[in-house]
């Protein structure tokens, strides 16, 4: 399989969890490289549903090594909750999971500030997951963050946390909020730090050794291309590099060790949170929500839905270097008579065949659509490319050609068996 980077080609929630799980079969190591517990990867194995927020989805396949890399921001209390939940479900974690000592720590003041800043923004809010992700990456960039290596050294941690709590309490009070108790935060985090210690490693050297023995590494992306801090619809983005480059900086595995980029995209488009979504459409949203689909796995929020946006996915191919595509949720379109695909944008007199950098222009873009016939046949039980309706194959060919990469996986349902290798 070689070293493969998996990215979301849209606004997150592309169904990456399932594709990661499928690709993990051929991987030795699975690495998470950015984001925090704002992510939610859902994997179904038989009747059991697993929702993973920080632990790489590879943990669900015995014998695989999973790494939480330096680029991730970790709420250790939440991570320990997730680990204990997995252990209860019979998943083996010991010796399988390693956590980077240089990953940054998310604290309760990050969560509080996330919420307070959103409130203050009012109608201009980002619609964050309120997990403290932005403020934690803010501290990292401002060089005021604490890292996992600090968390597992009690004295160092106590001294640094004291200063951070004092500073942040001043900020919280300026917002009109209550300050946090140093002792409460300290005790909860130290307990989590002790529990986490056996998993903590220098993951850069661990991964370097793995590349030297030619292990196959899968870099699992969280969120999606248009939530990238540099390449997304800023400021309506998350605070990390969700695009392929983030896999290198977030793991310490050099770019010239990467072999392939797989982009995951839904057969339509969804987004949670605020910000532009040119192909947003109420009818398709009602249809999908009516089917019980498209509710966020982290916050439970109903996702905004729209037609497939090929301008966006083509842009994603450009910034990620996508070689292969996995298209998910094809069955979500099974009942439609006609399906629209956005092939360009119009903004006043201007025509765009790429995503404009100016958020104002992007917000005012009107999609130009091509219409394709729907297949109006259930696809959920289909297990081979040849057995897919001809109209489904034609639709997939059009969206992958427009995106500019090769279709290799078509997914017609959440289960492992509902995966068609093309
Ligand atoms: P934050 O990452 O919580 O700061 O949220 C910033 C934006 O990214 C918001 O619009 C969120 O809804 C979105 N977001 C963050 N994580 C995910 C995810 O895993 N899936 C989809 N959207 C996400």
């Amino acid at each position: 399989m070689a070293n493969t980077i998996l990215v979301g080609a849209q606004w997150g929630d592309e169904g990456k969890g399932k594709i990661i799980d499928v690709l993990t079969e051929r991987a030795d190591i699975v690495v998470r490289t950015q984001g925090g517990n704002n992510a939610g990867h859902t994997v179904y194995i038989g009747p059991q549903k697993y929702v993973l927020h920080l632990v790489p989805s590879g943990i669900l396949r015995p014998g695989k090594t999973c790494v939480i890399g330096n680029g991730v921001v970790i709420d250790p209390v939440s991570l320990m909750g997730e680990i204990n939940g997995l252990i209860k479900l019979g998943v083996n974690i010991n010796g399988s999971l390693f956590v980077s000592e240089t990953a940054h720590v998310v604290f309760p003041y990050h969560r509080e500030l996330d919420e307070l800043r959103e409130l203050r923004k009012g109608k201009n809010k980002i619609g964050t997951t309120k997990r403290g992700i932005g403020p934690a990456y803010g501290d990292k960039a401002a060089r005021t963050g604490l890292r996992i290596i600090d968390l597992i050294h009690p004295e160092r941690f106590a001294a640094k946390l004291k200063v951070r709590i004092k500073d942040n309490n001043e900020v919280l009070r300026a917002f009109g909020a209550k300050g946090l108790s140093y002792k409460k935060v300290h005790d909860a985090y130290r307990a989590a730090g002790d529990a986490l210690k056996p998993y903590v490693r220098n993951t850069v050297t661990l991964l370097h050794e793995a590349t030297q023995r030619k292990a196959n590494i899968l870099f699992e992306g969280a969120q999606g291309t248009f939530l990238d801090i540099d390449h997304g619809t800023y400021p309506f983005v998350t605070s990390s590099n969700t695009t392929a480059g983030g896999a290198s900086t977030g793991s310490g595995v050099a770019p010239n060790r990467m072999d392939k980029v797989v982009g995951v995209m839904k057969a339509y488009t969804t987004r949670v949170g605020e910000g532009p979504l040119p192909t947003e459409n109420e009818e398709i949203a009602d249809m999908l929500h009516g089917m019980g689909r498209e509710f966020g796995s982290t916050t439970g929020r109903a996702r905004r839905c729209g037609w497939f946006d090929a301008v966006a996915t083509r842009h994603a191919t450009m910034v990620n270097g996508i070689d292969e595509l996995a298209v998910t949720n094809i069955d979500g379109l099974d009942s439609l008579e006609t399906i629209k695909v956005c092939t360009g944008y119009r903004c006043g007199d201007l025509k765009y065949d790429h995503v404009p950098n100016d958020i104002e222009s992007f917000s005012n873009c009107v999609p130009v659509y091509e219409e394709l016939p729907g297949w109006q046949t259930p696809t959920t039980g289909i297990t081979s490319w040849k057995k897919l309706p001809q109209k489904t194959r034609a639709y997939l060919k059009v969206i992958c050609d427009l995106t500019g990469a090769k279709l290799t996986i078509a997914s017609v349902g959440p289960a492992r068996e509902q995966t068609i290798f093309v």
Side-chain angles (χ1 to χ4, degrees), residues 304-321:
R304 298 158 64 194
C305 304
W307 299 111
F308 186 83
D309 184 342
V311 184
T313 55
R314 193 158 56 233
H315 195 97
T317 299
M318 178 170 71
V319 296
N320 292 295

Side-chain angles (χ1 to χ4, degrees), residues 9 11 24 43 62 69 90 123-124 142 163 175 251 274 278 336 345 375 384 395 409 416 422:
W11 276 269
T24 298
V43 182
K123 67 175 180 33
N124 296 323
V163 178
F175 269 105
S251 68
E274 308 305 313
L336 293 174
Y345 304 140
W375 43 92
S384 81
Y395 177 75
I409 294 176
R416 278 177 179 167
V422 182

Side-chain angles (χ1 to χ4, degrees), residues 135-275:
Y137 277 113
D139 268 352
K140 176 177 176 176
R143 291 144 297 168
T144 47
L146 268 71
R147 306 190 292 180
I148 294 293
I149 200 157
D150 300 314
L151 178 71
I152 60 170
H153 285 99
E155 281 175 25
R156 192 198 299 184
F157 179 71
K160 288 191 175 185
L161 182 69
K162 217 167 247 168
V163 178
R164 298 309 302 139
I165 292 276
K166 186 171 168 289
D167 283 3
N168 279 284
N169 278 352
E170 282 177 27
V171 181
L172 289 171
R173 288 191 194 110
F175 269 105
K178 270 198 345 210
L180 296 164
S181 146
Y182 161 78
K183 190 175 175 332
K184 263 196 194 157
V185 178
H186 173 270
D187 293 356
Y189 274 61
R190 275 296 311 128
D194 281 342
L196 210 54
K197 199 172 175 183
Y199 305 101
V200 177
R201 286 286 185 294
N202 179 338
T203 54
V204 173
T205 53
L206 183 152
L207 290 171
H208 180 69
E209 281 156 21
T211 57
Q212 286 193 316
R213 56 167 200 275
K214 303 266 181 276
N216 291 321
I217 309 178
L218 176 65
F219 297 84
E220 64 161 63
Q223 292 89 38
T225 297
F226 296 97
L227 293 175
D228 184 282
I229 184 85
D230 285 280
H231 299 289
T233 54
Y234 191 91
F236 301 102
V237 292
T238 190
S239 302
S240 62
N241 282 116
T242 61
T243 45
S248 272
T249 53
S251 68
V253 177
N256 62 353
R257 293 286 173 270
M258 304 297 185
D259 299 298
K260 189 163 66 175
V261 180
V262 176
V264 185
M265 57 190 202
K266 274 184 181 144
Y268 46 88
T269 307
T270 63
R271 172 170 204 165
V272 259
E274 308 305 313

